[in-house]
Amino acid sequence: MTLEEFFAQTPRAAVAFSGGTDSAFVLWAAKAYGCAVRAYYVRTAFQPAFEREDAKRLTDALGVPMTEVPVDILAVPGAAENGPDRCYHCKKALFSALWQRARADGYTVLLDGTNASDDAGDRPGMRALRELAVRSPLRICGLTKDAVRRRSREAGLFTWDKPAYACLATRIPTGQAIVPGLLQKVERAEAALAALGFSDFRVRILGQAARLELTEEQMARAVSLRGAIWEALQPDFSDVLLDLRARPAST
């Protein structure tokens, strides 16, 4: 099945839109192939401000309406505790909230951006999507991440080369309780590194320290800018550590 065929069979749909590459392409395809579509952006403490800005920029460019759905994710049982099944509890809560709002707006189909490269397995987040009957057109139509990026570039979407981004909660070690202050420290640190020209990286919590994960190409630059990095991060962290295991480039 092609995406054009999928949307011919799905003339009206809500899209769970994160502002990332995959859901952006789903939104573009829905609009391009005649689906009456609305984007739903879930706003939580786990999402950094730039994701919302990217989501708004993309929906404005496509002329697709976007509804923001706020969720107090730290009040969701199983989320703030940050156990090994945190992602399941988080996804279940977020997509339940999205479904509730979409149904109130008259939608009976909810789509997400899972692609054919994503491991379906028994990943907690995937399990939540299955339980809630969220449909994944990229996966259904066999589109891999590489294909999504290529076709996004052809479509002129600025998200075509956006690095994959996991939520802020993933920066905190499993088992360590998630509190707003930790999330804010991570967001400030990652914003500071982005302002220094770094991309496709992670700032992870390690006790009172920040551990930087960079791609190999950025290692030497980090050392040359160590003074600026320390100055930017030291208000929030006792130490700033560089993980010498190069981070694989995000796909």
Side-chain angles (χ1 to χ4, degrees), residues 35-177:
C35 177
V37 65
R38 175 178 285 270
Y40 288 82
Y41 178 83
V42 65
R43 189 176 74 249
T44 79
F46 289 175
Q47 274 70 47
F50 81 83
E51 289 282 58
R52 180 189 176 278
E53 293 164 5
D54 283 356
K56 189 69 169 60
R57 178 183 167 195
L58 195 284
T59 52
D60 284 350
L62 294 179
V64 172
M66 184 177 86
T67 296
E68 290 189 37
V69 181
V71 175
D72 183 2
I73 194 62
L74 294 179
V76 172
E81 293 85 349
N82 196 23
D85 57 352
R86 183 206 71 240
C87 191
Y88 170 78
H89 294 294
C90 181
K91 288 275 192 184
K92 191 75 177 281
L94 299 189
F95 278 86
S96 293
L98 290 172
W99 254 131
Q100 183 177 19
R101 182 57 190 270
R103 286 190 176 113
D105 292 339
Y107 292 93
T108 58
V109 176
L110 178 61
L111 310 177
D112 87 319
T114 303
N115 65 62
S117 298
D118 292 324
D119 177 17
D122 192 33
R123 287 170 55 186
M126 293 285 200
R127 180 158 50 97
L129 296 181
R130 288 195 299 269
E131 290 176 3
L132 292 171
V134 175
R135 303 191 70 194
S136 306
L138 302 179
R139 189 170 188 82
I140 291 169
C141 297
L143 289 172
T144 63
K145 189 72 172 191
D146 286 344
V148 170
R149 289 196 183 282
R150 175 178 53 78
R151 293 184 60 176
S152 293
R153 185 177 188 178
E154 292 168 356
L157 303 181
F158 73 87
T159 51
W160 77 270
D161 63 345
K162 185 175 179 178
Y165 188 86
C167 79
L168 294 172
T170 63
R171 313 302 196 267
I172 300 171
T174 300
Q176 180 175 346

